[in-house]
Each structure stands twice: as structure tokens, then as C-alpha cells.
């Protein structure tokens, strides 16, 4: 498949969307990012890599980090993880509080903020040095030592993270969080602040695309667990736009408010795309369009 040529065609088609949407500004440090950037990278299971435009520019992965946190927690806790967190699509915004109150502090799934704040709590309980160990896991997963947190972004989010603090307090009041709220929140913001490029994300997500049991840094997942992670990405990876992404793109994936989206085509490829301008649901406008065109032109999707 000539992915490079396909990327050229995609780029021509998505250019009219280049001024649609705006970057996340509720995290002041992210509002400073130049919104007019676009990168993409596809890696095949046989190891071929197709970078496009700013494939090597690092950006804030934000909620994409929830996939890495889930992989670690699933490896540590197995099926008992699901006593603390559900696995149903939420149909609500990533930072919604309403459902959490109605459902008595059990987050609908691990990919909305409430769910990932619980993952953060579990990692703090399980690990001796959660910040170092999380970063080490991500570095090992993509084979790049230089990946780091962006402390400015993490602290900027903490200063303005009133809604996430409300979510953490609600979880704590229902007993779903074991550790100190401040510690849990700060670790959650740190995980979100990790910076990676499209090339690095495509490489990291290969572990979910190539259907081989995985053992990264001592964290093991069986094929069956990887299948289940992909199922949760398919149904819950895009908040209240999960159905739309499934309909338009037809791949499991995960987005973040830094403008990144990663998706995988099992046994074929992993692909990451980045463009900071977001739609009203917090997903990259050009990113969604690019992936829709990718699966349309290649006729490669899971459906
Ligand atoms: N750190 C962001 C938040 O908690 C992550 C949200 C996202 O990427 N959708 O609001």
C-alpha cells in the first residue's frame, strides 16, 4: 500500500479544514501552542514507518496517556480492575460530573477523566515511584528514552483544574479513591503532560496492533487482554463522539485535547495524527478527517 501517496491525497482534502476549531485553552499552557500544525505517522506491523509533515514534533498527549495507564493497571489488577471502573461508553463529555454522581462514584469507563483519575489512584497504591515508573513504561513501550513530562503543562492544568478536582472529590466521597486527592490529581496531570510525536505514538501503539502477548518493563498483557483494551478504545476512546469516530473511521483509537489521535488496525498498522484545533467534543478536527479518509482510501478498517 502506498501510504505516502495516500497521505498526499489526504492532505489536499483536509486543507480546507485548517482553520476550523480551536486549541484547548482551558489549560493555559496549551493555549500557547501554534494551532496551525499537522503531523501524521503510520507504522505497519512489518515495521515500515511512514512519517508525514510534522511527524516528529512532540505535543501534549493528554488523554492518550489513559491508554498507557490502563495497560499498566490491567496488567497489575487483571479483571478485578473492573470492580472500580466500568467499561461502557459514557455518551457524556470527558470531564462530565453528572453521571458520576448518579452512578455513585463508579466511572463509566477508564477513558473519561473520572476513570483515569481512578487509574492514577491505583498506580499510586501499586507502585513505589509512580511518576518514574509510568514514564519508564511509556519509554519502553515506544523504545525512546528521551520522552518526558512537561511540568509547565501539568502545573498549569493543576492551577485551573477545578472540574477535575471536583471529580476527584466526588470519587473520594464515594470511597473510589484510596490515596490523598492532591497526590492522585497531580499524578493524573503529570501523565497527561507527557509529550510525544506522531512517530513515537505510532510506535508505542504497535503493541496493541500486532496481537502479540506483551511484556513491557515487566507488565504483561495476554492477547485476550489486548483484545479487550482495543474493545474499550473502540467503544470509549472519544467520549461523546465515540459513535461518530467508529462510524467515520472504523478503528479503535484514543484522542487527547493536545490534538493527538492514535488508532490501530489490528494486524496491519498503528497510526497517529496531530493537529491542535479541536471540535466541540475535544477531538482534533483535521485528525478525525484525516483518519476518516485514511480508512476510506485504503479500505482498511475493522469493519
Ligand atoms: N488533562 C485533560 C483533562 O483532564 C485531558 C482531557 C483530554 O485529553 N480529553 O481535562
Amino acid at each position: 500500500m502506498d501510504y505516502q501517496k495516500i497521505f498526499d491525497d489526504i492532505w489536499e482534502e483536509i486543507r480546507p479544514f485548517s482553520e476550523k476549531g480551536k486549541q484547548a485553552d482551558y489549560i493555559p499552557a496549551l493555549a500557547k501552542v501554534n494551532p496551525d500544525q499537522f503531523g501524521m505517522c503510520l507504522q505497519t506491523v512489518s515495521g515500515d514507518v511512514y512519517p508525514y509533515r510534522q511527524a516528529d514534533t512532540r505535543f501534549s498527549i493528554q488523554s492518550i496517556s489513559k491508554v498507557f495507564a490502563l495497560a499498566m493497571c490491567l496488567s497489575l489488577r487483571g479483571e478485578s480492575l473492573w470492580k472500580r471502573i466500568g467499561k461502557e461508553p459514557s455518551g457524556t463529555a470527558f470531564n462530565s460530573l453528572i453521571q458520576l454522581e448518579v452512578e455513585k462514584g463508579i466511572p463509566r469507563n477508564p477513558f473519561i477523566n473520572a476513570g483515569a483519575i481512578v487509574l492514577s489512584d491505583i498506580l499510586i497504591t501499586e507502585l513505589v515511584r509512580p511518576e518514574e515508573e509510568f514514564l519508564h513504561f511509556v519509554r519502553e513501550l515506544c523504545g525512546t528514552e528521551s520522552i518526558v513530562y512537561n511540568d509547565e503543562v501539568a502545573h498549569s492544568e493543576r492551577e485551573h483544574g477545578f472540574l477535575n478536582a471536583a471529580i476527584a472529590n466526588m470519587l473520594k466521597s464515594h470511597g473510589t479513591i484510596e490515596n490523598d486527592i492532591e497526590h492522585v490529581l497531580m499524578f493524573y496531570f503529570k501523565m497527561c503532560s507527557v509529550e510525544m510525536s506522531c512517530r513515537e505514538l505510532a510506535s508505542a501503539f504497535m503493541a496493541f496492533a500486532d496481537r502479540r502477548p506483551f511484556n513491557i518493563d515487566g507488565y504483561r498483557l495476554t492477547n485476550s487482554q489486548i483484545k479487550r483494551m482495543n474493545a474499550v478504545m473502540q467503544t470509549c476512546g472519544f467520549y461523546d463522539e465515540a459513535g461518530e469516530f467508529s462510524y467515520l473511521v472504523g478503528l479503535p483509537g484514543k484522542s487527547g485535547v493536545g490534538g493527538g489521535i492514535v488508532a490501530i488496525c489490528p494486524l496491519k498498522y498503528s497510526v497517529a495524527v496531530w493537529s491542535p484545533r479541536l471540535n466541540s467534543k475535544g477531538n482534533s478536527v483535521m485528525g478525525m478527517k484525516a483518519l476518516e479518509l485514511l480508512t476510506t482510501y485504503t479500505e482498511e478498517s475493522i469493519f
Side-chain angles (χ1 to χ4, degrees):
M1 187 79 68
D2 188 353
Y3 290 114
Q4 215 67 56
K5 160 84 178 69
I6 289 170
F7 287 169
D8 284 332
D9 294 344
I10 290 174
W11 177 242
E12 282 312 311
E13 256 197 73
I14 64 174
R15 277 166 84 161
F17 295 86
S18 65
E19 288 187 1
K20 290 227 158 62
K22 65 179 180 64
Q23 75 267 49
D25 53 9
Y26 73 99
I27 305 173
L30 288 187
K32 292 194 278 183
V33 173
N34 170 8
D36 300 317
Q37 304 188 78
F38 180 86
M40 195 160 177
C41 189
L42 184 147
Q43 180 169 336
T44 65
V45 288
S46 47
D48 297 324
V49 179
Y50 298 85
Y52 194 71
R53 298 185 74 88
Q54 288 170 263
D56 291 305
T57 306
R58 284 188 176 157
F59 56 89
S60 200
I61 68 168
Q62 292 296 318
S63 281
I64 297 170
S65 63
K66 294 171 167 112
V67 179
F68 303 140
L70 176 63
M72 291 174 82
C73 288
L74 200 56
S75 169
L76 290 163
R77 293 275 169 102
E79 281 298 295
S80 71
L81 175 68
W82 305 114
K83 289 188 197 131
R84 301 262 300 271
I85 311 173
K87 42 181 144 48
E88 292 296 335
S90 68
T92 58
F94 60 84
N95 52 10
S96 171
L97 262 172
I98 299 172
Q99 213 164 45
L100 193 60
E101 176 163 31
V102 174
E103 298 181 358
K104 303 204 170 11
I106 302 293
R108 265 292 169 99
N109 67 65
F111 293 156
I112 50 172
N113 290 8
I117 290 171
V118 173
L119 296 179
S120 161
D121 181 57
I122 291 171
L123 291 177
I124 289 173
T125 300
E126 291 277 348
L127 308 179
V128 183
R129 288 182 303 280
E131 285 188 15
E132 283 104 291
E133 292 177 54
F134 178 78
L135 197 56
H136 194 250
F137 176 78
V138 176
R139 287 171 169 173
E140 291 282 306
L141 195 57
C142 96
T144 309
E145 262 308 293
S146 61
I147 293 169
V148 286
Y149 295 114
N150 181 325
D151 285 326
E152 188 201 340
V153 171
H155 285 104
S156 167
E157 186 165 12
R158 177 62 198 104
E159 270 171 43
H160 297 82
F162 305 111
L163 208 42
N164 283 319
I167 290 171
N169 277 283
M170 172 95 74
L171 289 165
K172 186 80 176 172
S173 78
H174 285 284
T176 323
I177 281 186
E178 293 168 349
N179 298 285
D180 170 61
I181 291 179
E182 194 50 43
H183 189 184
V184 172
L185 270 178
M186 206 54 230
F187 180 43
Y188 166 74
F189 294 136
K190 287 282 275 206
M191 291 193 284
C192 291
S193 81
V194 166
E195 293 186 333
M196 293 170 77
S197 65
C198 288
R199 188 194 294 264
E200 288 161 350
L201 280 168
S203 161
F205 272 65
M206 190 40 65
F208 307 109
D210 71 359
R211 287 249 184 88
R212 265 184 265 160
F214 111 8
N215 180 0
I216 304 288
D217 201 20
Y219 293 91
R220 291 163 195 276
L221 288 178
T222 62
N223 272 355
S224 162
Q225 285 174 310
I226 292 171
K227 173 187 75 181
R228 296 183 199 291
M229 288 214 38
N230 291 343
V232 181
M233 281 194 248
Q234 183 76 42
T235 51
C236 310
F238 297 82
Y239 327 111
D240 43 345
E241 210 168 34
E244 187 74 358
F245 188 83
S246 213
Y247 178 80
L248 293 175
V249 180
L251 297 176
K254 185 74 202 83
S255 61
V257 292
I261 301 178
V262 197
I264 59 134
C265 191
L267 297 175
K268 289 211 165 79
Y269 61 75
S270 60
V271 61
V273 59
W274 167 61
S275 175
R277 289 181 195 269
L278 309 177
N279 63 20
S280 61
K281 313 280 185 178
N283 297 317
S284 169
V285 174
M286 285 179 104
M288 294 267 292
K289 196 73 200 156
L291 292 178
E292 177 192 349
L293 292 172
L294 176 70
T295 54
T296 303
Y297 291 157
T298 59
E299 297 185 4
E300 289 175 338
S301 88
I302 65 165
F303 298 111

